[in-house]
Amino acid sequence: MSDLHSLVEEYLAFRTARGFQPNHKLARVLNQFLASLPASAKDGPLFTNRQALTWAHAPAGGSPAWWSYRLSAVRQFAAYLAGSGLPVEVPAVRQGAGGTRCATPYLYADADVRALMRAAEELFTPLRAATMAVLTGLLTVTGMRIGEVLRLTVGDLDLDDGIVVIARAKFGRQRIVLLDATSCRAVRGYLLRPDRHRLGVAPERPLLTTGKGTSVPENNARGAFHRMTQHAGLPVRAGARPRPHDLRHSFATRAMIEAYSSGRNPARTLTLLSAWLGHSNPADTYWYLQAAPEVAAIAVGRLEEGPQS
């Protein structure tokens, strides 16, 4: 079994490489947690959800915020380990006093995305329908945040080579994502529409525009997307309601399912996916996958098969 303390060092180094400042408090907390663990069984998990919860809430008289910090530190470490293919139980995000409550992701099927685009055509004027269709398509195939797509300018895209430069990403970072030929044709077709082309296609112009040629406000785009989901009749699933951000969850889920199904290294895929999505912490990427039973089932199957030759 891997030395857990060395895995803490690897995890902290990964965080630092992704832009986090060195965190001595986090290192101390994680090593304290590991020191509390009994010797694990040879074929068992490195640690369990129960062990994490028990340790996180151990300090007598501790504040809910301190208990929450301890559990969050272990959860993110566990998510990193699980994303690297190691056997570990990842504590759920809704456990413990003061724990963070994240919205349950809505995982879109391909048919759902097609239904959303049909809804846009039926609800809006031609230009607005085309704008919402391109926005939905880019969210689906790139995993970008809605704000990142809406801030794109025409010059941020190289449709000949299928490159999108996200110059105004979260945390002030710049990154690149790729488009396939089909997506490039769809975006080029949108820009060449007479009602869109007359609004300007110079490099500094916004890619997605209102009828006045201005950038689409995010609140307006979210409102239009909500109308599309209602018109398309997308069902509520296990407490989740369809949101634009969940197209990002769906992108990550598909990527990991493809990696597991094709036998690629899941740890490397998770690392690349984290960089693609612009996450500073692989635990953020792993959270996108927790709500997808397909990913868990494939991962368990790979573990049961044993090491790949």
Side-chain angles (χ1 to χ4, degrees):
M1 178 177 292
S2 300
D3 180 1
L4 283 177
H5 291 282
S6 67
L7 291 175
V8 169
E9 294 178 4
E10 293 177 13
Y11 170 58
L12 295 174
F14 187 92
R15 283 173 54 90
T16 301
R18 300 295 298 153
F20 281 90
Q21 294 298 316
N23 191 329
H24 301 297
K25 177 181 177 182
L26 177 61
R28 183 173 65 257
V29 166
L30 289 177
N31 281 305
Q32 288 173 350
F33 168 63
L34 298 183
S36 74
L37 297 175
S40 300
K42 182 177 180 181
D43 297 323
L46 300 180
F47 52 83
T48 66
N49 178 51
R50 178 182 294 276
Q51 288 169 331
L53 279 171
T54 300
W55 175 83
H57 297 141
S63 69
W66 176 234
W67 291 336
S68 178
Y69 174 82
R70 285 159 64 92
L71 183 58
S72 177
V74 176
R75 179 188 301 117
Q76 293 186 46
F77 178 51
Y80 170 80
L81 298 177
S84 299
L86 294 174
V88 64
E89 294 181 8
V90 181
V93 295
R94 297 181 180 179
Q95 299 183 100
T100 302
R101 292 184 174 269
C102 297
T104 302
Y106 187 98
L107 299 180
Y108 294 86
D110 290 342
D112 296 330
V113 176
R114 291 193 293 269
L116 287 173
M117 292 187 174
R118 286 195 300 270
E121 294 178 0
E122 296 167 2
L123 284 172
F124 307 129
T125 59
L127 177 60
R128 193 181 189 199
T131 299
M132 289 305 301
V134 171
L135 171 62
T136 302
L138 287 174
L139 292 173
T140 301
V141 302
T142 67
M144 293 170 63
R145 302 175 178 91
I146 185 171
E148 292 173 342
V149 177
L150 295 176
R151 288 190 293 270
L152 289 175
T153 66
V154 174
D156 290 331
L157 282 75
D158 180 346
L159 296 178
D160 292 328
D161 292 329
I163 296 173
V164 180
V165 178
I166 308 172
R168 290 161 291 280
K170 194 173 181 180
F171 307 120
R173 295 188 178 93
Q174 177 175 295
R175 70 182 195 279
I176 291 174
V177 298
L178 305 178
L179 294 177
D180 62 18
T182 300
S183 300
C184 289
R185 285 196 295 270
V187 175
R188 183 177 282 111
Y190 169 73
L191 291 173
L192 292 176
R193 290 174 55 95
D195 53 359
R196 171 63 188 83
H197 195 271
R198 68 177 177 79
L199 298 171
V201 291
E204 69 277 5
R205 300 296 297 157
L207 173 66
L208 303 180
T209 68
T210 66
K212 297 180 179 180
T214 58
S215 299
V216 178
E218 186 169 332
N219 285 343
N220 289 6
R222 289 184 180 277
F225 190 89
H226 179 64
R227 290 183 60 191
M228 289 159 57
T229 62
Q230 291 186 313
H231 189 80
L234 299 189
V236 174
R237 296 173 180 163
R241 60 180 181 84
R243 307 170 304 159
H245 193 72
D246 293 321
L247 289 167
R248 192 165 152 85
H249 288 257
S250 301
F251 174 87
T253 298
R254 288 194 303 272
M256 287 303 295
I257 288 176
E258 181 182 349
Y260 276 115
S261 299
S262 62
R264 295 201 302 272
N265 184 334
R268 175 168 172 74
T269 299
L270 185 71
T271 300
L272 294 174
L273 186 57
S274 181
W276 178 287
L277 294 173
H279 283 157
S280 297
N281 191 328
D284 297 331
T285 310
Y286 189 76
W287 154 241
Y288 281 17
L289 311 175
Q290 285 182 292
E294 300 90 342
V295 175
I298 294 174
V300 169
R302 285 285 302 275
L303 288 173
E304 289 177 347
E305 292 170 5
Q308 303 295 306
S309 57

